[in-house]
Amino acid sequence: MGDMAGGTTGQSAGTLRVGVVGCGHFGRFHVLKSHAAPRETLVGVFDPDQERARVVATEGRTRAYDDLDALLQDVDAVIVAAPAEMHFALTAQALRAGKHVLVEKPIAATLQEADELATLAQTTERVLQVGHLLRYSAEHDAIVQRIARPLYIEATRIAPFKPRGTDVSVILDLMIHDLDLVLAIVDSPIAQVEALGAAVSSDLEDIANARVRFANGCVATITASRISLKTERKMRLFSEEGYLSVDFGKRELTMIGRERGLPLPGTGGFRRDSASWRDHDSLEAEHAAFVASCLDGAPVRVDAQAGRRALEAALAVTDGISESRRRMEISGLIGRPGG
């Protein structure tokens, strides 16, 4: 892969010297994971909010840097957990400094930026991994073991409102997880996207629905909301192999097919397979994969191309929402802003 490297220089005792850039909600989790990781040496953290950086550094038993360049000089790799609009600039700066990068999703704000980061990773021969956490989850593995060629996918991810995350739309905040999971399952380019969305509690979309049609004929319908009264994460998949229903909250799945499970009388040979999975620490698994790519040259599971594909899908949904809103305003179904 272009954004993969077989080891780094300057590492001590087989560990990766890591710095975390961004000490917000998720950056703090990265700091704690890095501190505990057996193959990582947490060198320090950086955040423009120096007081926040000091608090998180204390928790991670590490140092708070007041200068990003100084941190970059002391590490082999950085984890970029800053706000989404800073992902491109910070990742580019780290790659140009010869550092491996694990950047939180989305990889960047535009496809051009994503392409530039992919090229930078390739030319500098550094690892660039994108933090699509579901790729490292037990639930991802449970699905792909059972359905390989879906015909139709329906995904729902709804949650109550939280101020955190509203620097981006619900598409880049929540829906991108299911978009990425769908893209990991469906091995085909996106052919068409139709979408609807609305901003309710923030300046950006808080609820969205997208219908994604792939070139091979598969269709996925994805709903995301961060203004619901309850939390619900479910997915249903139809294929020639059978029907799979997944409840991520209960960690349960049911497969109706012909290959495995108990016979269902009167169904003409169908069987029911019920299973559950035990959650493992996906963030820990993501860190371990990053270190393995940096130190051992292991393939990058979620590389720049995968991050770009997820971003492309998310931007297509955003464009679809804008087009739907334009049609509704023209027809008079909804009022024009300021009208």
Side-chain angles (χ1 to χ4, degrees), residues 257-277:
R258 296 184 183 274
E259 297 299 319
R260 63 170 91 187
L262 299 174
L264 286 172
T267 62
F270 282 99
R271 296 174 174 269
R272 176 190 175 108
D273 173 36
S274 296
S276 61
W277 66 85

Side-chain angles (χ1 to χ4, degrees), residues 159-181:
F161 181 78
K162 295 178 182 176
R164 181 186 64 81
T166 54
D167 60 316
V168 294
S169 70
V170 72
I171 302 156
L172 291 177
D173 182 23
L174 298 181
M175 184 183 280
I176 197 168
H177 288 292
D178 290 318
L179 280 169
D180 183 57
L181 188 52

Side-chain angles (χ1 to χ4, degrees), residues 84 105-106 132 155-180 195-210 222-228 230 232-233 310-311 313-315 317-318 321 325:
K105 52 85 183 167
H132 288 281
T156 303
R157 182 182 293 256
I158 60 176
F161 181 78
K162 295 178 182 176
R164 181 186 64 81
T166 54
D167 60 316
V168 294
S169 70
V170 72
I171 302 156
L172 291 177
D173 182 23
L174 298 181
M175 184 183 280
I176 197 168
H177 288 292
D178 290 318
L179 280 169
D180 183 57
L196 287 169
V200 180
S201 297
S202 67
D203 295 333
L204 300 166
E205 287 85 11
D206 295 304
I207 187 168
N209 174 269
I222 306 171
T223 299
S225 169
R226 58 187 180 197
I227 53 167
S228 300
K230 63 178 180 178
E232 181 179 291
R233 287 188 53 225
L311 176 63
L315 292 175
V317 172
T318 303
I321 289 174
R325 175 171 290 276

